Amino acid sequence: MALPLSQLPQEIIREVRGRKGLAFLAFVIVSFAVLGAGFVWPYKYQSDTIIFVDDRNIIAPLMEGRAVATEINDRTSAAKELLMSRSLIEKVALDPEIYPDAPSDPAALEYRIANIRSGLSVRPRGDSYFSIGFSSTSQMEAFRVAQKLGQVFIEETKDRKRAESRNAYDFIDKQVKSYEQQLAQAENRLKEFLSENTDGTEQEANARMAQLRNQLELAELEKKELETRAASLQSQLGGIRPTITQGRTEDTYRERIRILEERLDSLRLQYHDTYPDIVILREQLAELRKQRDQAAERPTDVSSLEGEEAVNPLYQELRANLSTTRADMATVETRIESLSRLLEQQARRMERIQANKAQYSELTRDMEVNREIYDDLLKRREKARVSMHLDIEGQGLNYRINETAQFPRTPSGPQFSMFAAAGLFLGLAAPFGAVAGLLQVDPRIRARKQLEEDIGLPVLVEIPEVRTPYEKRRDRKVTLLIGIFAVLTVTVYVTIVVLAQMGVI
């Protein structure tokens, strides 16, 4: 049964007092072992290069939407992956300024690369900073490697950004040229199709057919109107005489006199009265007036024996209208026949259009898709061009050395003074720790409570340990002797530490 915790401190002190020699020996061994570890512990020197991530320059807002700056996500891990790459570490391992006399055989090179990788560290230092560090047992090696790593990292980052933007531009430019050829081929196919099929579109054909139907309907209506009109004129001509007899009455002479007078007035405006036509007209007028006077003296109820046959004007007008109507009917019939033929042609045209509709849609769709992708790629190529120039000029997101590596003056990690202080502390704690561990595994009963819990009965009497006067004197002598040796040991320990700090040993 384990010793109760309440009894543990008391038992530890009793066991240590009972085994003073072993406790002193454990103190000496542990303290000097830790001090010796401090002497042989290899000191490492750390040198760091501070990198600043410049992602807030003035170019970003000015070129927003027109250029894409190369982004670097998770900067610390990205930087560590890049620095751990063999190509970059090999540049450092082969630098003659860092390793001037290093052998160049593959085994030695691999050893240096492994050594650089083991000592390399990348740590974040805020949102826009991180450090590239290198630790080594050599101060100069730590300084030069950290300095070289920062320089190589900046150069490699710039080269990769330029290569990335250049590759992006070349890829998009290649795609632009490819889609340009595809677009030209699609346009040529559509052009050949349209040149071979000149029927037009379905919408045009439907509009043309509707127009022809309207014209045909109007022509048929017009034909019916003309047929009705021709029948009406024909029936009217059947009841009218073609000619009429005109007698020489006073009114007839008066009308002829009026006509001749108008003609005479017209000639007088241009010629003199001696003009032959004017003289003849005067004689005719005089003769007509004489005949008018004679006709006026005849009785009004007696018809003139003299007369002449004349064409009936109404008959002549109706006949002319009938001829015109028949000519219009022939014209309309011709137009109806032409419109019917055009409708038949248009129907065949519609059949051809429907047959070519699927092919036309496919050609048009291919051309539109290629044109859309081509236009989008043109815009992207210009953005890639500007982005490439941004990376070439060092704009956009950039890494910059904010603080160069410094020559390490003091070693990093545990130092000799820490080992010295830890040696004394661990030496004093070692006996007590060892006794505490032994008490937990010791099966012997050391306290009343252990026995009561083990047998389930109360302990009535506890007999204390009794020592004789001789044993007490011997114990005091041993304690004094161990105390003297402890003081001497601590004095030697402190002397060694002081000499080591002063550089004597």
Side-chain angles (χ1 to χ4, degrees):
M1 180 176 291
L3 186 67
L5 293 179
S6 60
Q7 298 291 328
L8 187 60
Q10 182 180 352
E11 289 297 322
I12 290 174
I13 294 174
R14 189 174 66 83
E15 289 292 334
V16 171
R17 288 177 62 183
R19 294 177 174 81
K20 299 181 184 67
L22 291 176
F24 174 71
L25 183 61
F27 165 74
V28 173
I29 292 174
V30 171
S31 59
F32 277 92
V34 174
L35 185 63
F39 276 105
V40 299
W41 185 265
Y43 291 163
K44 287 198 174 184
Y45 297 89
Q46 175 86 17
S47 183
D48 296 304
T49 300
I50 309 299
I51 304 297
F52 171 64
V53 183
D54 185 12
D55 58 352
R56 296 182 178 89
N57 54 21
I58 195 173
I59 292 296
L62 292 178
M63 301 305 295
E64 185 176 1
R66 301 186 181 275
V68 179
T70 306
E71 296 183 357
I72 302 175
N73 299 321
D74 197 0
R75 297 152 186 169
T76 304
S77 61
K80 189 172 183 179
E81 290 178 4
L82 179 60
L83 287 166
M84 286 293 182
S85 62
R86 180 179 178 85
S87 60
L88 192 145
I89 293 181
E90 192 171 349
K91 293 180 182 178
V92 180
L94 294 175
D95 193 339
E97 295 182 358
I98 302 176
Y99 304 101
D101 300 326
S104 58
D105 57 286
L109 178 61
E110 291 297 328
Y111 175 78
R112 289 197 301 272
I113 291 175
N115 183 43
I116 293 173
R117 281 179 174 169
S118 62
L120 176 64
S121 62
V122 181
R123 300 184 181 90
R125 295 196 176 187
D127 294 337
S128 301
Y129 296 88
F130 65 89
S131 64
I132 301 174
F134 182 74
S135 61
S136 174
T137 56
S138 171
Q139 294 172 282
M140 185 59 67
E141 182 185 6
F143 166 68
R144 288 181 175 175
V145 171
Q147 190 178 43
K148 185 66 177 180
L149 283 173
Q151 296 172 356
V152 172
F153 173 74
I154 296 296
E155 294 173 359
E156 186 72 14
T157 303
K158 290 182 178 179
D159 292 342
R160 290 198 175 193
K161 284 178 59 180
R162 295 191 186 102
E164 180 182 352
S165 58
R166 166 62 70 177
N167 292 337
Y169 174 78
D170 292 340
F171 173 76
I172 296 177
D173 183 64
K174 183 179 179 180
Q175 294 298 315
V176 167
K177 293 178 180 177
S178 174
Y179 272 94
E180 186 177 3
Q181 294 177 356
Q182 295 181 21
L183 181 61
Q185 294 173 0
E187 290 177 346
N188 290 332
R189 288 195 299 268
L190 182 60
K191 183 179 179 181
E192 292 175 359
F193 176 79
L194 292 177
S195 62
E196 295 174 358
N197 301 274
T198 58
D199 294 322
T201 62
E202 182 180 1
Q203 183 178 3
E204 294 175 352
N206 286 329
R208 179 59 177 166
M209 288 187 71
Q211 181 182 5
L212 291 174
R213 289 193 186 99
N214 291 334
Q215 293 178 359
L216 181 60
E217 291 175 358
L218 293 176
E220 290 176 349
L221 290 175
E222 187 177 356
K223 178 182 177 182
K224 291 181 180 179
E225 292 175 356
L226 292 175
E227 290 176 350
T228 304
R229 184 178 176 185
S232 176
L233 291 174
Q234 187 66 39
S235 62
Q236 291 179 11
L237 282 176
I240 299 175
R241 293 180 58 188
T243 59
I244 58 174
T245 302
Q246 291 183 346
R248 295 184 179 180
T249 61
E250 182 181 2
D251 293 334
T252 303
Y253 289 114
R254 187 179 296 113
E255 180 65 21
R256 295 180 63 185
I257 290 171
R258 185 185 63 78
I259 294 172
L260 292 177
E261 285 179 348
E262 289 178 357
R263 187 178 180 186
L264 179 63
D265 292 337
S266 176
L267 290 174
R268 281 182 173 177
L269 292 175
Q270 299 177 6
Y271 306 102
H272 294 288
D273 292 340
T274 58
Y275 189 71
D277 290 343
I278 294 176
V279 175
I280 293 171
L281 284 174
R282 282 181 175 179
E283 293 178 353
Q284 290 178 356
L285 281 172
E287 182 64 25
L288 286 174
R289 289 191 182 101
K290 182 178 178 182
Q291 293 179 4
R292 182 192 61 186
D293 294 339
Q294 292 177 358
E297 292 178 355
R298 297 194 192 104
T300 56
D301 56 346
V302 179
S303 300
S304 176
L305 297 177
E306 298 179 0
E308 58 184 3
E309 292 288 333
V311 178
N312 189 346
L314 180 59
Y315 181 85
Q316 187 177 7
E317 182 180 357
L318 291 175
R319 189 174 182 81
N321 289 338
L322 180 59
S323 300
T324 304
T325 302
R326 288 176 176 173
D328 292 340
M329 285 176 59
T331 303
V332 170
E333 289 175 355
T334 303
R335 184 167 43 174
I336 289 174
E337 292 177 359
S338 300
L339 290 173
S340 299
R341 287 195 300 271
L342 289 176
L343 274 174
E344 293 176 359
Q345 295 176 2
Q346 200 65 27
R348 291 192 294 272
R349 175 192 175 190
M350 178 61 73
E351 292 177 358
R352 293 193 301 270
I353 290 175
Q354 292 295 335
N356 297 329
K357 184 178 179 180
Q359 186 177 359
Y360 177 78
S361 300
E362 182 179 357
L363 292 174
T364 306
R365 182 173 59 254
D366 291 344
M367 188 183 68
E368 292 300 327
V369 169
N370 288 328
R371 185 183 300 278
E372 183 178 355
I373 297 176
Y374 176 71
D375 293 339
D376 182 66
L377 286 174
L378 280 180
K379 296 177 182 178
R380 292 179 183 273
R381 184 178 66 176
E382 294 308 312
K383 287 185 179 181
R385 188 198 305 275
V386 178
S387 302
M388 180 179 63
H389 287 296
L390 279 178
D391 289 334
I392 292 175
E393 296 295 332
Q395 302 295 336
L397 180 60
N398 245 335
Y399 288 118
R400 188 160 46 86
I401 296 179
N402 186 68
E403 183 179 337
T404 58
Q406 302 296 321
F407 187 83
R409 301 294 180 183
T410 57
S412 59
Q415 302 181 15
F416 180 76
S417 59
M418 298 179 184
F419 280 96
L424 288 176
F425 175 77
L426 293 176
L428 290 173
F432 296 95
V435 171
L438 290 174
L439 290 176
Q440 294 298 319
V441 298
D442 190 3
R444 292 180 296 175
I445 295 175
R446 295 175 178 273
R448 174 190 296 182
K449 192 174 182 180
Q450 277 183 289
L451 184 59
E452 291 177 346
E453 292 179 356
D454 189 16
I455 64 177
L457 297 173
V459 177
L460 299 178
V461 178
E462 181 179 359
I463 302 174
E465 182 182 0
V466 178
R467 293 187 298 172
T468 62
Y470 173 75
E471 290 175 345
K472 291 181 179 179
R473 288 194 303 270
R474 189 183 62 180
D475 185 65
R476 282 196 296 268
K477 289 179 182 179
V478 173
T479 302
L480 178 62
L481 184 62
I482 291 176
I484 293 171
F485 279 116
V487 172
L488 292 176
T489 301
V490 171
T491 303
V492 173
Y493 188 92
V494 172
T495 302
I496 293 173
V497 171
V498 170
L499 292 177
Q501 291 291 93
M502 293 176 62
V504 176
I505 58 175

